[in-house]
Amino acid sequence: DQQVKQNSPSLSVQEGRISILNCDYTNSMFDYFLWYKKYPAEGPTFLISISSIKDKNEDGRFTVFLNKSAKHLSLHIVPSQPGDSAVYFCAAQLGTSYGKLTFGQGTILTVHP
Amino acid sequence: DTAVSQTPKYLVTQMGNDKSIKCEQNLGHDTMYWYKQDSKKFLKIMFSYNNKELIINETVPNRFSPKSPDKAHLNLHINSLELGDSAVYFCASDAGQAGGPFQETQYFGPGTRLLVL
């Protein structure tokens, strides 16, 4: 039973355009959400997060949106750069289970020059 | 300087063997984790230790035994390896306290690619 899902295995965009990566979850008790980025042969690295009490968090070119009623979050990258090409993982956490992240299966983003 | 390191990076072994994967972090963190990335690419938590104490123990076969000799190290020993154990295993650490209210960023190692033949 996968509680966090990223239904798009891959996404391809042109440099300078917007990249939108999506994530859906089923457990309404999740109260913290994160995005991680992973390059080949490396471990995931933290990118941005959002608490369930917010609906938007922005950090430079990266913005995460949370729609609790739809149990959906998205990561927007504007403008996209070739160096953003990587696998992006969405993760969620219950407030009562500190540190126990539930990950999606990742979306491969390719940004073409 | 590597923050979270794992050895070996690659491990190819026969079914039935016993193997260990080592993890070390030099970030001064109190909490360490083991994750398994299966063939469907989901990263799933296996164990978590806080200052050498087991905090999270997911439904993992008891052939898997974590050991934390000190808070900077968390090793994973696997007995009687099976084909289904083939995966990428990631170690991670963070500065959090088990049960604490604050969210801390987890830092991941580069992964150990295990192939059981």
Side-chain angles (χ1 to χ4, degrees), chain A residues 3 5 11 14 18 25 29 37 43 47 64 68 71 74-75 77 80 86:
Chain A
Q3 298 186 64
K5 290 184 181 178
L11 175 67
Q14 282 298 124
I18 184 171
Y25 61 95
M29 300 302 292
K37 176 179 177 179
L47 191 57
V64 57
K68 286 173 58 180
K71 297 192 184 68
S74 60
L75 174 68
I77 307 174
S80 302

Side-chain angles (χ1 to χ4, degrees), chain A residues 4 8 23 33-34 36 55 58 63 66 73 96-97 107:
Chain A
V4 178
S8 297
C23 178
F33 303 90
L34 308 91
Y36 276 78
D55 55 18
E58 194 171 351
T63 303
L66 175 62
L73 67 156
T96 55
S97 298
T107 297

Side-chain angles (χ1 to χ4, degrees), chain A residues 38 87 89 105, chain B residues 35-44 86-90 113:
Chain A
K38 183 184 179 305
V87 180
F89 289 96
Q105 68 270 54
Chain B
Y35 287 86
K36 176 181 180 181
Q37 186 179 29
D38 59 23
S39 57
K40 294 182 180 178
K41 303 302 181 184
F42 285 97
L43 268 161
K44 295 183 180 178
S86 297
V88 183
Y89 292 84
F90 289 97
R113 286 144 189 84

Side-chain angles (χ1 to χ4, degrees), chain B residues 4 8 11 18 23-24 27 37 62 67-68 76 88 91 111:
Chain B
V4 182
L11 185 53
D18 302 338
C23 178
E24 177 181 1
L27 298 166
Q37 186 179 29
N62 57 16
K67 285 189 170 50
S68 182
L76 184 64
V88 183
C91 176

